[in-house]
Amino acid sequence: MIKKLLLSLLFSGVFCAVFGQAIQSPEKFLGYKLGEHFTPHYKIVEYFKYVAQASKNVKLVQYGSTNEGRPLLAMFIASDENIGKLEEIRQNNLRLAGLETVAGGSTPGTPANKAAATSAAGSTSAPVICWLSYNVHGNEPASSEAAMWTLFDMVDASNARTQPWLKNTVVVIDPCLNPDGRDRYVNFYNSVAGQKPDANPFAREHAEPWPGGRINHYYFDLNRDWAWQTQKETQARVALFSQWLPEVHVDYHEQGYNAPYYFAPAAEPFHKVITPWQREMQTTIGKNNAKYFDQNGWLYFTKQEFDLLYPSYGDTYPIYNGSIGMTYEQGGISAGLAVLTRTGDTLTLVDRVAHHHSTSLSTVEVTSAYAEKLLTEFKKFYDNSRANPPGEYKTYVVKNDNVDKVNALTAMLDRNGIQYGFGLKNSVNGYNYSNGKNEQYEVGPNDLVINAYQSKSVLLNVLLEPKTFVTDSNTYDITAWSLPYVYGLTAYGVKESLKPATATISAAKPQVLVNVHAYAYVSSWYSVNDVRFLAALIKNNIKVRYSEKPFEAGGKKFNAGSLLITRAGNDKADFDQTIARIATQLNQDLTPLMSGFVEKGNDLGSDVIRFIRQPRVMLAAGDDVNSEAMGEVWHFFEQQIGYPITLVRYKDLSRARLSDFDVAIFPDGNYDDFPSDKLIGWVRDGGKLIAIQNAAAQLVDKKGFLLKRKEDKKDDKTDSKTKDPTLLSYNDRDRDALRSSVPGAIYKINLDNTHPLGFGLPKSYYSIKLSDDIYDFLGSEDGWNVGTVKKDGLVSGFVGQKSKEKIKDGLLLGVQSMGRGSVIYMADDPIFRSFWENGKLLLSNAVFMVGQ
Ligand SMILES: [Zn+2]
């Protein structure tokens, strides 16, 4: 009898539960049904750790941690046979891409795939990799709950549906890409919810306070950061991702709670590098999801809204890396545990979790069904990339007239696995990014040279092509991001394939020469590194000056803005050692001068040598402020230049002691009663107000401020014409709105770099325009028109016809003297998403140089 019972147990799923190590479901482990509560991040971590111990089919990796110290996890799930061979599977997959690396990682900048060339080609009958990324936006929390359920189904040996998939599929689950944001939301919700969820949309639990959980600790949208990797979460994740390069990747989201579920295929525009296979497979996967939604009667849509263009999303970035990258969206933002939707139905977290769980399983299922085809096409993608790179240009040459900026660019290329070298033996004929003309250019030995014949040529093309081809301008995000403009570097696109002369730069690391007899030290001023150096000097109580004009000394030429550290005023015993220590730490090039008598220009005692007062900086924060714009400034000060900044809530400004600050930065926002008399009084007393985007727009026509909106009478005429009801069809209403849209285009600005706001920058500056804000030239002697745009300023990206007519002959960067203080107007965000490198010096000039 007992024997018989044993046998029957052996052949049923119960066997595991009774004799083996039964793995607890999330429900059992957490003590509640998924969807009944929001699970805090630490409990999700506990569940993943528990499964890592209980299951022999997983490997848990902590690949990083957040700014607030929460762990970032990836769980690898594979069959009995494959789990011990994960490293082999990973290497095989990279071999398919031609990116196999020797142990210890790749050599940055290596021009050829040496390792790949000598090793055997990867096998396409190996397991395929399916990577599921949950909860990148913290306040779209249903997906991390679904991640636990999906994990359980994958490791549950009694699950007859999922287990066969693992034979040819390795599943990777990242349960939460943005733990800090998730907990900000979950802690909020759990702290305000009553005993029962209130489905009334106006109940407090559906109104998240500023800044909301979408963004990370520094208020960055991590689903705009994949290619740039400005945030530590993204840096860690993309480093792991690049070691694996999955064939399928899903990025889980939630959208407004009235919307039905969205899954692939995505909407137009698609970037033209996206292959027919990638399109086709999106549809195949979408149809498999649809099958289960149809069975359950759940509503969904595809092919609308979510396009595939901007390269820094969780769908496009994997796509440009050969994967089938997709975004899935459940309706649910602000829905809490339950909310009444427009149609009078109650949407619950239980529903939302079920939908994400369904697409998770469905995606793994279809990945497994197409495993060999996915691997074959993945290999083909990379073979094509090397043999037949997309795009007009087969070589890109970037002039190295700013070593720090080129270093920042190559660091970014390294992070993305793009190979490069330096110098060419001959001159080239190429497309000059700055003037749009074809020109002959003599390539210098330190110029950056990128050959397109390499595995990552698709991503390279997307990031480097001067203009992105947009089939349909109704896009979700910016339409221009070409890296030479982003970094403000001169570049050439060359149609021939040319190999760089050397793999590494020949310039030696700067040697810090200190001399106890030096009269002064000079440092350049043209990069974020120089700003970081200045910040460190100030923090060490070293007095620093800058030259308002260019000069020549010690046999070198120095730009306006160059930093001078004189012994005068810094006369302490450890002066030279302190300078040497800071310069060495920051890899800063310093020139000692033995005399204050300069060869050309003004002597060091001249009044054009200005003392840099240590600015005490305030940043407006809180309800009226655009959190992401604020976060960029916060991150820049804390993480990039290391300079103190005080965040003050805008509504506390009336009570704050403004005399504690020298500089006040107002990022984009919608400020109530701006500027107050108190703020104006503070400026007149010597304060410096930096107003960016809508903060600047709000100063238009205010008493004492010179800023005026640029009038364009022609526009009004064309406007009345199009508004003629006989000409406008209802169906075209979205198209019509596009006429006055600037989704994010690059403009070339003429910069007065003799003004402190333009120090260290070339005579032209590339700005990313997100709106058609433009102003009249400041007409008074108190106003300086530092950044202006002419007729043909548009360089790259889509701009609606009406806005195109507006953005010309006007002011985008201005400085006004007001009493003893000054006001700086910036129409655009100078450090957009922190990837806009070019503007970081501009913002620094505003803080440290203007008005000294
Ligand atoms: Zn989202």
Side-chain angles (χ1 to χ4, degrees), residues 198-224:
D198 191 333
N200 186 325
F202 290 99
R204 172 177 72 151
E205 66 208 61
H206 303 299
E208 224 188 328
W210 191 93
R214 175 182 177 88
I215 43 201
N216 79 346
H217 176 79
Y218 283 106
Y219 305 171
F220 277 71
D221 184 335
L222 296 178
N223 192 34
R224 303 292 183 273

Side-chain angles (χ1 to χ4, degrees), residues 10 117 168 183 266 310 314 339 354 369 408 459 502 569 587 610 734 794 825 830 839:
L10 256 172
N168 64 359
D183 270 3
Y310 174 72
V339 75
L459 184 63
T502 56
N587 205 15
R610 319 284 291 208
D734 283 356
L794 179 61
Y825 304 107

Side-chain angles (χ1 to χ4, degrees), residues 599-711:
E599 288 140 33
K600 243 184 205 171
N602 300 86
D603 292 330
L604 301 197
S606 152
D607 63 353
V608 306
I609 309 295
R610 319 284 291 208
F611 174 61
I612 301 177
R613 278 169 297 166
Q614 180 170 343
R616 296 162 301 168
V617 187
M618 183 215 100
L619 173 64
D623 279 333
D624 293 345
V625 185
N626 173 342
S627 53
E628 288 173 40
M630 191 221 90
E632 292 160 7
V633 180
W634 183 22
H635 185 263
F636 180 67
F637 273 75
E638 280 203 2
Q639 296 291 329
Q640 298 178 53
I641 63 168
Y643 193 79
I645 188 163
T646 302
L647 277 59
V648 180
R649 289 192 306 175
Y650 180 66
K651 65 176 172 189
D652 292 337
L653 219 58
S654 54
R655 298 188 291 122
R657 202 167 50 221
L658 291 183
S659 59
D660 285 351
F661 304 103
D662 306 295
V663 178
I665 304 175
F666 289 85
D668 187 42
N670 197 4
Y671 298 95
D672 197 25
D673 187 27
F674 182 68
S676 64
D677 290 344
K678 184 179 171 184
L679 195 60
I680 297 172
W682 170 81
V683 175
R684 292 198 174 282
D685 284 346
K688 182 157 61 181
L689 193 164
I690 302 173
I692 306 172
Q693 291 177 281
N694 199 44
Q698 285 188 262
L699 297 174
V700 166
D701 295 329
K702 294 280 166 70
K703 197 171 171 250
F705 292 84
L706 294 172
L707 201 64
K708 299 250 178 295
R709 213 172 273 287
K710 192 170 165 288
E711 286 193 43

Side-chain angles (χ1 to χ4, degrees), residues 128-383:
V128 65
I129 299 155
C130 179
W131 191 301
L132 308 174
S133 287
Y134 297 93
N135 213 170
V136 65
H137 291 143
N139 63 355
E140 301 170 7
S143 69
S144 288
E145 313 285 345
M148 292 186 276
W149 191 356
T150 306
L151 171 64
F152 175 68
D153 280 352
M154 290 298 159
V155 296
D156 177 8
S158 72
N159 192 318
R161 187 180 165 211
T162 60
Q163 293 314 290
W165 304 336
L166 295 179
K167 283 185 188 144
N168 64 359
T169 309
V170 172
V171 179
V172 188
I173 295 181
D174 183 335
C176 187
L177 279 65
N178 178 10
D180 293 350
R182 178 186 171 84
D183 270 3
R184 194 179 309 129
Y185 175 78
V186 169
N187 290 338
F188 149 74
Y189 185 87
N190 289 342
S191 70
V192 299
Q195 284 206 315
K196 274 189 195 163
D198 191 333
N200 186 325
F202 290 99
R204 172 177 72 151
E205 66 208 61
H206 303 299
E208 224 188 328
W210 191 93
R214 175 182 177 88
I215 43 201
N216 79 346
H217 176 79
Y218 283 106
Y219 305 171
F220 277 71
D221 184 335
L222 296 178
N223 192 34
R224 303 292 183 273
D225 195 44
W226 277 79
W228 323 131
Q229 301 134 20
T230 71
Q231 299 302 295
K232 68 181 299 195
E233 292 91 343
T234 325
Q235 284 163 10
R237 177 180 358 100
V238 173
L240 182 72
F241 186 90
S242 304
Q243 289 168 18
W244 284 86
L245 295 175
E247 278 73 25
V248 174
H249 179 258
V250 186
D251 198 32
Y252 281 87
H253 290 259
E254 290 189 79
Q255 53 185 334
Y257 56 68
N258 288 308
Y261 201 97
Y262 162 84
F263 46 72
E268 293 291 340
F270 278 47
H271 195 289
K272 63 181 179 182
V273 297
I274 297 172
T275 65
W277 155 253
Q278 285 175 319
R279 288 173 175 254
E280 188 190 318
M281 192 61 200
Q282 282 222 338
T283 303
T284 306
I285 295 172
K287 283 187 176 167
N288 204 54
N289 289 334
K291 187 173 88 184
Y292 296 103
F293 275 55
D294 289 344
Q295 276 171 16
N296 286 290
W298 298 333
L299 288 176
Y300 59 90
F301 68 100
T302 65
K303 305 180 282 285
Q304 276 175 275
E305 209 165 322
F306 301 97
D307 63 71
L308 297 176
L309 196 65
Y310 174 72
S312 249
Y313 289 135
D315 50 18
T316 47
Y317 186 79
I319 286 177
Y320 302 148
N321 281 283
S323 177
I324 308 299
M326 294 168 296
T327 292
Y328 292 176
E329 298 263 358
Q330 162 66 38
I333 295 178
S334 295
L337 292 179
V339 75
L340 210 57
T341 65
R342 210 158 40 205
T343 50
D345 299 314
T346 301
L347 174 71
T348 64
L349 183 62
V350 174
D351 303 330
R352 290 152 60 196
V353 174
H355 301 165
H356 271 336
H357 170 255
S358 172
T359 57
S360 298
L361 295 195
S362 155
T363 303
V364 178
E365 177 183 49
V366 70
T367 301
S368 168
Y370 283 78
E372 191 152 356
K373 175 79 174 154
L374 278 161
L375 289 158
T376 309
E377 290 289 342
F378 178 78
K379 181 176 187 305
K380 210 194 265 177
F381 175 93
Y382 280 101
D383 287 347

Side-chain angles (χ1 to χ4, degrees), residues 50 94 126 201 474 490 511 541 570 606 633 762 848:
Y50 156 73
L94 289 184
N474 201 355
T490 304
Q511 273 199 324
N541 292 315
N570 284 313
S606 152
V633 180
F848 294 103

